[in-house]
Amino acid sequence: MYAIGQPGEINPRFRGSTDPADIPLMMQPGEVAVPWDTPQPGAISADGASFVPAAPCLAEHKAARWEAAKNVRYSMTHGGCDVPGIGRVDTKVMPQKNSPALISAAALSALRAKLAGEPWSRTWTLADQSDAVVDADAMLAIGAAVDAHIEACHAAGAAIRALIDAAEDEAALAAIDITAGYPAQA
């Protein structure tokens, strides 16, 4: 594969040939052919001796930074939630288990019982696999804590996204702490 173009030309054309003798047939007067593995943005050097790949642009770096930030947001959202007086509850979402949905269903059941004046109690398995017996008020507290935790994680992710979008240069982008603003993790 060769980058073919004038010395100093930005984004030259690329041509492949199994026979290097064919390359001069692909060139116009004044052009040079520089060996290069893969077509990509860049330029032929001013002296025509080499191909210089373009550095990734700020938009590409922002996209990569946002992908990393989304991974942090996912880990924080699904890393569990501390509930005062009860312990740490699981917030994982997996094919076999959707903890926030199970918590929501149990909280709804507790609310129905509470509104009907009926007793309600469950043994709830915490994130560390220990069991806690919870009444309706405790189950509602778990539901509220998980809801607040998930909302806080998404708010932190949105704030980080805004910082990434607003970054005007590489230094500003690199200075963004993509782990900041999330609820504490045990």
Side-chain angles (χ1 to χ4, degrees):
M1 175 83 45
Y2 290 84
I4 300 174
Q6 299 286 329
E9 183 176 335
I10 297 173
N11 294 328
R13 64 190 185 283
F14 286 86
R15 300 291 182 261
S17 176
T18 56
D19 185 355
D22 291 343
I23 296 303
L25 302 173
M26 299 177 193
M27 298 168 50
Q28 300 295 319
E31 289 186 326
V32 295
V34 180
W36 193 254
D37 296 332
T38 309
Q40 68 185 90
I44 295 176
S45 62
D47 65 5
S50 62
F51 178 77
V52 181
C57 68
L58 182 59
E60 291 169 322
H61 284 141
K62 284 183 175 186
R65 193 80 168 137
W66 177 235
E67 284 302 315
K70 287 191 300 186
N71 288 334
V72 169
R73 182 187 63 197
Y74 183 88
S75 295
M76 296 297 202
T77 301
H78 301 292
C81 171
D82 290 319
V83 181
I86 297 169
R88 188 164 189 80
V89 295
D90 199 356
T91 57
K92 289 185 184 102
V93 175
M94 304 179 304
Q96 305 86 358
K97 177 183 176 186
N98 182 337
S99 295
L102 295 173
I103 290 168
S104 293
L108 180 60
S109 174
L111 180 61
R112 284 183 185 155
K114 189 171 174 136
L115 290 173
E118 298 170 359
W120 190 95
S121 178
R122 297 284 188 280
T123 300
W124 199 261
T125 303
L126 301 176
D128 66 1
Q129 299 305 301
S130 65
D131 289 332
V133 177
V134 295
D135 62 10
D137 288 333
M139 194 68 236
L140 291 171
I142 291 172
V146 169
D147 180 58
H149 172 81
I150 291 171
E151 177 58 29
C153 288
H154 282 276
I160 291 165
R161 176 69 184 263
L163 291 172
I164 290 170
D165 288 345
E168 294 183 4
D169 57 34
E170 298 291 338
L173 186 61
I176 297 169
D177 180 357
I178 62 173
T179 65
Y182 285 95
Q185 298 287 312

